[in-house]
Amino acid sequence: MPPPYPTNLSILSSSSSSHVLAFPLKKCEPLDLYESLRNYFVLKYSESVAKRVEGLLQMLNKLRDEMQRDDISLPVRRDCLIRYFKCLCMIENLFPMTSSPNPPIFVWYNAFNPQEDSSQHNIHLEKASVLFNLGALCTHIALSCDPTTFQGHRIAIDALNDASYWFYMLNSETKKASATVDLSINCTDMLCEIISAEIDDLKFHSPLSHSDRSPLGGFVVSQLYRQAYDLLTSGPLAESLVQSSIPQYLESKMQTLHVKTASIDVTDQFLSGYCTAQSLLQQGCQPLCLDLLSEAGPVMIKDGNLVANL
């Protein structure tokens, strides 16, 4: 689990940040988990065993009802989802309930296309949907922060880091449940790319870095948004998400950053490409990569030009 971060509502702002896109949350059909699970315990074990776990089953049912409420604060709703996910992990070994006369059927709707749904007796669909909502909810928390203040800026980045963590966990669950396209690996990869770009975007627009902000940083952020846009428009997600707000959001971000960095020279472009590669390698490699400008690097800057490091 990611470490908790402060949720003091004083850092929240009613004005939306242009650096964060809040992903829609998945909706589900109501379900009485208590009744179906308790009947299963009575059938497979005994009435006495069912009574022993009654408290857990009641809490599980209550958390599922509360996790869909939109009249509670974002941090409280996030904590409710985390507790519910922990309870799902506790009962995961009970599934599939092949001997139960009324096994629970989970029904979840596509976050980006609510007309599409998935209905399964598969706890991994439930877990994947909860993880998706945890990631999406963290983007709402980041959006609600005021990035022009030091604390709001820090909380927004922490929330996006949490969102990235939940979507990373979602990848392992999506392999165990065939569901709607929003729970596919392609979609979670694309959402993670957007979040990575937004984190760097927020760092680039840090309230403490107005004086030393360089065009190179903006160019790197623009390339990260471009990677997310390519995943969205050139793959299997193109038809599914074309009607969502994501393509327009990414196009707007790329256009804005392109205008700000249009004067970047060729040397900065080469360095930008290296920075992008460095970021990708650090995500997938444990050993430290060689720095471009180190003595062992393949090139060096001399008199403002890139030359071979012989």
Side-chain angles (χ1 to χ4, degrees):
M1 295 292 180
Y5 49 85
T7 54
N8 184 349
L9 295 183
S10 64
I11 57 92
L12 301 182
S13 169
S14 59
S15 60
S16 298
S17 167
S18 61
H19 306 301
V20 178
L21 174 66
F23 302 149
L25 275 70
K26 293 176 68 64
K27 301 295 184 182
C28 67
E29 289 291 333
L31 177 63
D32 186 357
L33 276 177
Y34 171 80
E35 194 66 30
S36 60
L37 291 177
R38 194 185 190 287
N39 290 340
Y40 176 76
F41 274 99
V42 172
L43 180 67
K44 186 171 183 179
Y45 301 103
S46 65
E47 177 66 28
S48 61
V49 172
K51 287 183 178 180
R52 285 170 53 192
V53 297
E54 206 162 54
L56 169 64
L57 301 184
Q58 289 174 345
M59 180 176 63
L60 187 73
N61 207 46
K62 181 180 179 181
L63 289 173
R64 193 180 198 276
D65 289 341
E66 291 186 347
M67 73 174 183
Q68 287 288 305
R69 290 177 53 188
D70 54 8
D71 60 339
I72 54 180
S73 70
L74 296 175
V76 171
R77 192 173 178 184
R78 176 207 59 193
D79 293 344
C80 177
L81 281 165
I82 292 176
R83 288 195 294 270
Y84 180 59
F85 183 79
K86 290 179 178 179
C87 288
L88 289 176
C89 293
M90 292 174 66
I91 66 169
E92 181 176 345
N93 290 335
L94 300 177
F95 289 77
M97 299 179 182
T98 53
S99 60
S100 176
N102 61 334
I105 303 298
F106 306 106
V107 181
W108 284 89
Y109 294 91
N110 188 333
F112 303 104
N113 181 16
Q115 286 73 39
E116 181 185 1
D117 68 83
S118 180
S119 175
Q120 300 179 32
H121 169 62
N122 185 346
I123 196 171
H124 295 291
L125 171 63
E126 185 85 346
K127 290 177 64 181
S129 299
V130 171
L131 288 171
F132 182 98
N133 277 1
L134 271 168
L137 199 63
C138 286
T139 66
H140 285 256
I141 293 176
L143 179 65
S144 67
C145 295
D146 182 1
T148 62
T149 67
F150 174 75
Q151 189 180 18
H153 182 266
R154 179 175 60 84
I155 299 297
I157 290 179
D158 287 347
L160 288 178
N161 278 320
D162 279 1
S164 181
Y165 172 81
W166 297 122
F167 283 120
Y168 171 77
M169 286 188 63
L170 173 58
N171 267 337
S172 63
E173 288 297 328
T174 56
K175 300 173 184 177
K176 305 171 187 177
S178 176
T180 48
V181 68
D182 55 337
L183 297 183
S184 66
I185 293 179
N186 290 321
C187 186
T188 54
D189 286 346
M190 184 268 298
L191 296 178
C192 284
E193 285 288 348
I194 293 176
I195 292 171
S196 295
E198 289 174 336
I199 291 173
D200 280 9
D201 197 358
L202 281 168
K203 291 178 179 178
F204 178 63
H205 291 91
S206 168
L208 301 179
S209 62
H210 290 295
S211 59
D212 58 353
R213 192 176 296 162
S214 68
L216 177 60
F219 186 82
V220 172
V221 174
S222 177
Q223 292 300 102
L224 293 175
Y225 280 118
R226 166 61 64 179
Q227 292 175 21
Y229 186 80
D230 289 342
L231 285 174
L232 172 63
T233 57
S234 60
L237 300 176
E239 293 184 7
S240 303
L241 301 184
V242 68
Q243 299 298 330
S244 72
S245 60
I246 296 180
Q248 293 80 7
Y249 170 77
L250 294 176
E251 289 169 359
S252 172
K253 297 300 296 183
M254 290 186 295
Q255 179 63 29
T256 302
L257 289 164
H258 175 74
V259 171
K260 291 181 179 179
T261 60
S263 61
I264 197 168
D265 63 24
V266 66
T267 301
D268 283 343
Q269 290 187 36
F270 284 143
L271 290 177
S272 171
Y274 173 80
C275 290
T276 302
Q278 182 83 335
S279 174
L280 293 173
L281 289 171
Q282 285 178 346
Q283 294 176 16
C285 303
Q286 293 300 323
L288 294 176
C289 299
L290 293 176
D291 189 272
L292 174 64
L293 304 181
S294 69
E295 294 183 0
V299 294
M300 60 183 296
I301 292 182
K302 183 176 182 181
D303 299 329
N305 299 313
L306 288 177
V307 297
N309 187 1
L310 302 179

